[in-house]
Amino acid sequence: MEYEFSHPLPFDTGGICIMNSHASPEQLTKYILYCEWLVYATWRVVDNSSSLKQSIGACEKVFQLMDLVPAEQFHSKGVKPQRLMGNIQFVNVSFHYPSRITVPILDHLNLSIQANEVVAIVGLSGTGKSTLVNLMLRLYQPVTGQIYVDGIPLEELDIRWLRENIGFIGQDPDLFNMDVKSNIKYGCPRDVKEEDIEWAAKQAYVHEFISSLPHGYQTMVDNDLLSGGQKQRIAIARAILRDPAILVLDEATSALDAESEHYLKEVLHALRNGSRSKRTVILIAHRLSTVKTADRIVVMDGG
Ligand SMILES: Nc1ncnc2c1ncn2[C@@H]1O[C@H](COP(=O)(O)OP(=O)(O)OP(=O)(O)O)[C@@H](O)[C@H]1O
């Protein structure tokens, strides 16, 4: 609006100046153009000022986050054994979430998982299957009891080292908006070759699917382009590539079609029998077909 109304003023004053021989037509043209640019620039600045204010607000939040001191557990420099074998022991573990202290989730749980064992954890919804994994990843501390990994109490281990050695694949893993190869490589701390990426994809039974994409491993993907089962298999390949001693897989409760269910069964079979890929596998299972592939089934019932 202001931009449109700016025209009459320079024309009127300019016209008077030309008639009085105070300015030439060329000077008037320049003057009008400069006025237009000035008004246009001012108008754009005013127009963008609200988003500028929003950006300043967002920056403040980012700087506040950057100033936060990391939690105490990330400072601790615990034990970093040469190699993780993958033995896990829960001894008399009881737990309730800090926000719901009156609701016990685990009550004196004892569970021993041997290295290279494939254990399926089953149970009704809300019985504490994911909580078990949360405790193992040290996202929470048991209220009483102790968790041991290879015989070492969990809190004595370096937390970064521990988490680097545990691969976790959630029910609905996220893919990043980049090509499949980079998605599989993401977070891998060592240098990997193309063959390693393909090997991991083959282990996760997703190589054929990736090869059928228009640009194979170079195809750009994101969360919305692939099905839940395809995303989970790519996430399994990502986890396998890191070669963790312990792999935790939370099987999707929904959105897993028959084909993906079949593939998942094959993946578990490969993880159990593949010579290069021996590791402890904990499967939070929701389907009988996948449970059958496990060495042992643990039933969670009332903590
Ligand atoms: N962060 C949390 N804070 C408080 N309560 C929680 C939290 N996470 C889970 N719970 C509660 O703890 C109980 C056990 O939850 P958990 O997710 O471990 O069960 P689950 O067996 O894995 O369930 P599902 O099969 O549905 O995934 C539930 O009652 C849940 O509501």
Side-chain angles (χ1 to χ4, degrees):
M1 291 287 272
E2 290 154 82
Y3 184 54
E4 294 300 324
F5 282 128
S6 68
H7 292 244
L9 188 66
F11 270 113
D12 292 349
T13 46
I16 294 166
C17 288
I18 289 174
M19 282 194 293
N20 293 339
S21 304
H22 287 137
S24 65
E26 188 196 347
Q27 282 173 321
L28 176 63
T29 312
K30 279 184 188 170
Y31 174 69
I32 288 171
L33 283 176
Y34 287 143
C35 282
E36 290 235 350
W37 284 335
L38 184 69
V39 173
Y40 180 68
T42 315
W43 174 66
R44 288 298 300 267
V45 169
V46 173
D47 198 38
N48 286 322
S49 66
S50 65
S51 33
L52 193 69
K53 276 184 204 152
Q54 276 180 1
S55 311
I56 292 170
C59 282
E60 271 174 16
K61 278 195 187 145
V62 171
F63 286 124
Q64 276 168 11
L65 285 174
M66 283 167 72
D67 288 341
L68 284 180
V69 181
E72 187 53 37
Q73 55 172 319
F74 290 102
H75 287 302
S76 64
K77 289 272 170 272
V79 186
K80 285 188 203 175
Q82 277 271 303
R83 197 163 156 243
L84 181 63
M85 305 303 292
N87 296 291
I88 306 153
Q89 257 184 305
F90 287 74
V91 180
N92 274 325
V93 171
S94 298
F95 178 74
H96 56 70
Y97 281 96
S99 56
R100 294 168 73 194
I101 52 175
T102 53
V103 186
I105 309 293
L106 302 178
D107 182 19
H108 293 94
L109 175 101
N110 285 291
L111 173 64
S112 189
I113 299 172
Q114 307 303 316
N116 303 331
E117 204 179 4
V118 177
V119 175
I121 300 176
V122 298
L124 293 176
S125 177
T127 45
K129 303 182 294 292
S130 306
T131 303
L132 207 71
V133 173
N134 290 346
L135 289 173
M136 204 177 74
L137 289 166
R138 245 183 93 187
L139 296 176
Y140 295 92
Q141 301 271 72
V143 176
T144 60
Q146 186 61 270
I147 302 170
Y148 298 90
V149 170
D150 287 354
I152 305 170
L154 208 59
E155 72 256 23
E156 287 182 20
L157 290 166
D158 182 277
I159 194 159
R160 271 173 193 266
W161 175 89
L162 175 77
R163 290 181 186 168
E164 272 167 21
N165 280 284
I166 301 179
F168 175 75
I169 303 126
Q171 286 202 7
D172 188 19
D174 284 320
L175 293 188
F176 301 99
N177 196 1
M178 47 195 188
D179 63 32
V180 186
K181 189 175 88 178
S182 310
N183 261 293
I184 296 179
K185 240 171 53 175
Y186 190 84
C188 187
R190 60 199 166 83
D191 276 342
V192 282
K193 299 193 194 99
E194 300 271 321
E195 306 96 84
D196 297 321
I197 295 172
E198 281 192 20
W199 171 78
K202 280 177 187 160
Q203 286 283 305
Y205 279 78
V206 72
H207 172 72
E208 265 181 45
F209 163 71
I210 296 171
S211 306
S212 72
L213 293 172
H215 305 288
Y217 281 79
Q218 266 77 41
T219 310
M220 292 292 287
V221 286
D222 70 26
N223 260 340
D224 305 325
L225 281 177
L226 305 180
S227 74
Q230 289 158 349
K231 281 196 291 183
Q232 203 170 42
R233 278 184 287 142
I234 291 179
I236 292 172
R238 184 192 291 161
I240 290 176
L241 188 65
R242 284 177 45 219
D243 201 19
I246 301 169
L247 193 70
V248 183
L249 174 60
D250 196 348
E251 184 186 17
T253 41
S254 57
L256 203 64
D257 50 50
E259 194 192 356
S260 299
E261 190 178 334
H262 164 76
Y263 278 128
L264 193 57
K265 219 170 64 184
E266 297 296 329
V267 172
L268 289 166
H269 191 73
L271 285 173
R272 207 171 74 152
N273 299 318
S275 55
R276 190 179 156 187
S277 58
K278 279 253 182 278
R279 68 193 81 244
T280 307
V281 180
I282 299 174
L283 167 71
I284 301 178
H286 301 279
R287 284 172 183 76
L288 190 62
S289 60
T290 43
V291 168
K292 278 188 199 160
T293 55
D295 297 320
R296 198 147 55 96
I297 301 167
V298 173
V299 182
M300 296 287 288
D301 182 17

